[in-house]
Amino acid sequence: ARVRALPPATRIFSNGDDAIYLLTGRLADRLPARGSLAPTQADPRYASELARMHTQLIESHGVIVYFSSIDWRPQLVSATELQASIGLRMLYAAADGAVYAVDE
């Protein structure tokens, strides 16, 4: 319901981009991946993808929708890591997840 209530032009990044599309019909970008499912295979593009996402969130006044129940994508950056690396402000919290904006 919170995603549906966002203005149509709001850019969304999420660990559940596919769920957002299925439930709301809205497109969302997937959060950057630290690497593959194998913990020893780090993605060398991770830092640049994280920086690019941060810039896009600021420029578009976008949000991050983080589903706490999605635990089968461990390669994606966590909400805790996002808070530490790019700074987030919680806009909404529920039992199944949260919506964040970037602190500018």
Side-chain angles (χ1 to χ4, degrees), residues 1-6 10-21 23-24 26-31 53 57 62-70 73 76-79 82 88-94 96-102:
R2 290 287 172 171
V3 172
R4 283 189 199 97
L6 292 170
T10 302
R11 181 133 194 208
I12 302 169
F13 285 86
S14 180
N15 65 331
D17 53 309
D18 47 355
I20 288 173
Y21 181 74
L23 295 171
T24 69
R26 292 186 67 156
L27 295 176
D29 294 295
R30 186 167 287 184
L31 293 173
M53 179 187 73
L57 285 165
V63 297
I64 293 174
V65 176
Y66 202 91
F67 293 95
S68 55
S69 59
I70 295 180
R73 293 180 176 151
L76 297 182
V77 62
S78 70
L82 287 169
L88 299 177
R89 178 173 31 91
M90 187 177 295
L91 300 176
Y92 175 77
D96 59 347
V99 179
Y100 300 94
V102 174

Side-chain angles (χ1 to χ4, degrees), residues 70-87:
I70 295 180
D71 58 1
W72 60 88
R73 293 180 176 151
Q75 75 278 18
L76 297 182
V77 62
S78 70
T80 304
E81 290 172 287
L82 287 169
Q83 180 63 44
S85 61
I86 64 173

